[in-house]
Amino acid sequence: IRFTEKHGLPRITPYSLRHSTGSILIDEGVSLPMVSKKLGHANISMTTSTYLHTIRDVETQTSAVMEKFLQKTITAK
């Protein structure tokens, strides 16, 4: 803690590292069952409720990718 305070860095806890890991795995497309298993959650519903914000971001990205693909496909005809 002294090092982070001395250098003006944010305090990083094991929990924050664990939460960041879950967010990164979901953002990179790792399946929810695998993320849940890696984080040691008792069930996938805990993973889903904890990382709902990340899941919504990924869903938005997925929708944008599909929309772009469909627009290219339609205009190519």
Side-chain angles (χ1 to χ4, degrees):
I1 295 176
R2 284 189 225 151
F3 178 85
T4 57
E5 289 174 355
K6 180 179 176 183
H7 296 283
L9 299 171
R11 183 169 175 239
I12 300 173
T13 64
Y15 174 80
S16 64
L17 289 174
R18 184 172 186 264
H19 190 72
S20 294
T21 298
S23 296
I24 291 166
L25 291 174
I26 292 168
D27 193 48
E28 290 298 316
V30 176
S31 69
L32 285 176
M34 184 56 68
V35 174
S36 183
K37 181 179 177 181
K38 290 292 181 188
L39 295 176
H41 289 162
N43 53 56
I44 196 169
S45 64
M46 181 170 186
T47 308
T48 303
S49 63
T50 303
Y51 295 94
L52 188 59
H53 63 285
T54 304
I55 294 166
R56 286 186 180 148
D57 290 346
V58 171
E59 287 175 347
T60 301
Q61 292 169 2
T62 303
S63 297
V65 168
M66 287 305 298
E67 182 179 4
K68 185 176 177 180
F69 171 79
L70 291 171
Q71 285 176 346
K72 284 178 20 181
T73 303
I74 291 169
T75 57
K77 291 184 177 186

